[in-house]
Amino acid sequence: MAEIINNKQLVRQFHAALEKTQGNDLNAVFKEYLADNYSFKGVHPFNELNNANDVIEHVWQPLFHSFKALQRREDIFIAGQSEADGGEWVMSMGHFMGLFDRDWLGIAPSHKLATIRYAEFNCVKDGKIIQTGFFVDVIGVMLQVGLNPLPLSTGQYFTYPGPRTHDGVRLGEGSDEQSMRTMNLVNQMIDNLTALNQSGINTCPPEVLAKTWDENMVWYGPAGIGATYTIERYQQQHMYPFREGLTGKVFNGHICRFAEDEYACFFGWPNLTNTAIGGFLGLPGANTPADMRVVDVYHREGDKLVENWVIIDLPYWLKQQGLDILKRTQSIANPGA
């Protein structure tokens, strides 16, 4: 337990030091907290970076440059040992908030307050961060400045809240018993869906979901899909479009998967491979297998999952099929960027 507490303290100190710089002297912060063999996995267009200098240049400096007075607004903060890779991980999820004053990734600024949904996973070893998984919802930022690169979404996208119980930031020691209950429930849910995939059945009886999900579940999906509420609407507004519009689904596993108390999280690189056959995101089929990088963060109450925050790297998934929404948006809406 002492190691988990130390890892949490390290990551929180890193986040505080990072925010304090506002983009200045990032090298000193990275040198203090990151290992020499540090590696980074981020959403498109960041992708995979293998040294701190590239992460500073391509991720953090542009972010601080574009969003003035940038803050991290954290909703969930948990830590644990990943059952996927055995590493010690710390996960932070919430929103960055700042004044969108300069171009970011070719998206023209609004000069107004903007939020950036994020989930950040840091693997800690010997008192240093050795690996980061960094997911932000790029399309969510585009929507805030009036740019929608996709057809009408099935769900409703907005600035999502944290847990209904307002207890997602866990700074102390978690309960091994409660953590195991949460992890077992998440794994049961994954096993149920895997069996469904193997059966070849695209629809899913609601009673299958009800084994692990509360009837009034909330699913906070990425921009382009949006959020849904209750099992019935989740199936209508996300599950069926996903299952019926994609084929050849292959689960590739996770890099990190752990639970602390009533919360659990995972990400993969990629989690899934699938092929669009038409309908998903309101788009035609591409007949091209494409990888999905996905983050899931879960909240359990009692014996059921009640909330699920999801980020899917949709720009990367689309780019593999020949649609670069960032490049297209820049060339049309912000050609001078």
Side-chain angles (χ1 to χ4, degrees):
M1 281 297 181
E3 184 176 14
I4 288 179
I5 297 298
N6 291 338
N7 292 345
K8 287 182 177 181
Q9 291 174 348
L10 176 77
V11 171
R12 288 188 77 77
Q13 289 166 4
F14 170 60
H15 287 169
L18 195 61
E19 183 172 311
K20 187 176 180 180
T21 70
Q22 288 297 301
N24 299 311
D25 203 18
L26 287 167
N27 288 303
V29 173
F30 273 50
K31 184 177 181 180
E32 181 177 356
Y33 292 99
L34 273 54
D36 292 338
N37 61 341
Y38 174 74
S39 63
F40 176 97
K41 292 176 171 63
V43 296
H44 179 73
F46 310 129
N47 301 304
E48 196 158 8
L49 302 169
N50 291 313
N51 64 77
N53 289 335
D54 285 347
V55 176
I56 290 171
E57 179 182 353
H58 296 291
V59 181
W60 289 108
Q61 280 183 338
L63 196 61
F64 282 114
H65 178 76
S66 299
F67 296 88
K68 183 179 179 182
L70 190 70
Q71 292 183 358
R72 183 185 297 260
R73 315 278 291 194
E74 197 168 55
D75 292 315
I76 299 177
F77 182 80
I78 56 176
Q81 183 177 33
S82 168
E83 63 177 28
D85 71 349
E88 299 290 341
W89 288 83
V90 180
M91 194 283 302
S92 171
M93 188 207 82
H95 294 82
F96 294 111
M97 185 183 79
L99 298 171
F100 191 7
D101 281 354
R102 298 187 182 94
D103 293 352
W104 185 62
L105 307 181
I107 305 168
S110 63
H111 303 284
K112 299 177 181 179
L113 183 151
T115 60
I116 309 169
R117 232 182 125 214
Y118 81 88
E120 180 182 337
F121 295 73
N122 285 296
C123 185
V124 180
K125 184 177 181 181
D126 299 329
K128 295 282 187 178
I129 298 170
I130 63 171
Q131 183 180 177
T132 296
F134 187 75
F135 289 75
V136 290
D137 196 330
V138 175
I139 297 177
V141 176
M142 298 171 75
L143 294 181
Q144 291 174 67
V145 297
L147 299 172
N148 191 350
L150 296 171
L152 185 66
S153 65
T154 50
Q156 180 64 49
Y157 188 77
F158 54 100
T159 299
Y160 298 151
R164 185 183 183 188
T165 49
H166 300 282
D167 61 356
V169 177
R170 300 298 174 102
L171 302 180
E173 295 184 4
S175 162
D176 289 342
E177 179 185 356
Q178 293 301 320
S179 301
M180 185 63 69
R181 284 185 65 187
T182 305
M183 198 73 263
N184 287 343
L185 187 62
V186 169
N187 286 336
Q188 180 188 344
M189 181 268 299
I190 293 172
D191 290 344
N192 291 347
L193 291 179
T194 298
L196 201 64
N197 288 340
Q198 293 171 348
S199 73
I201 299 173
N202 282 327
T203 56
C204 174
E207 55 266 24
V208 173
L209 284 184
K211 292 178 181 179
T212 53
W213 289 99
D214 186 82
E215 179 182 352
N216 289 329
M217 64 175 286
V218 189
W219 189 84
Y220 298 107
I225 299 175
T228 70
Y229 177 45
T230 74
I231 286 179
E232 179 185 10
R233 294 296 172 86
Y234 167 73
Q235 290 193 292
Q236 291 176 2
Q237 297 173 349
H238 173 62
M239 190 178 197
Y240 291 158
F242 184 92
R243 297 190 63 80
E244 295 171 357
L246 302 173
T247 190
K249 302 178 188 69
V250 177
F251 174 57
N252 300 307
H254 298 133
I255 288 178
C256 172
R257 184 169 70 224
F258 72 88
E260 181 176 11
D261 292 332
E262 294 82 18
Y263 294 90
C265 60
F266 60 65
F267 82 95
W269 198 264
N271 308 48
L272 305 169
T273 302
N274 48 53
T275 301
I277 55 176
F280 181 60
L281 302 181
L283 297 174
N287 200 31
T288 302
D291 293 333
M292 273 187 173
R293 304 161 173 171
V294 185
V295 164
D296 276 90
V297 180
Y298 297 94
H299 181 201
R300 172 183 64 83
E301 288 185 2
D303 295 325
K304 295 294 176 70
L305 300 170
V306 293
E307 296 177 288
N308 181 198
W309 296 262
V310 178
I311 298 178
I312 303 175
D313 189 359
L314 290 175
Y316 176 70
W317 184 77
L318 292 166
K319 189 175 186 298
Q320 294 169 81
Q321 300 169 67
L323 175 57
D324 190 332
I325 60 172
L326 290 175
K327 184 176 181 180
R328 185 173 188 271
T329 298
Q330 179 177 327
S331 66
I332 298 172
N334 193 19

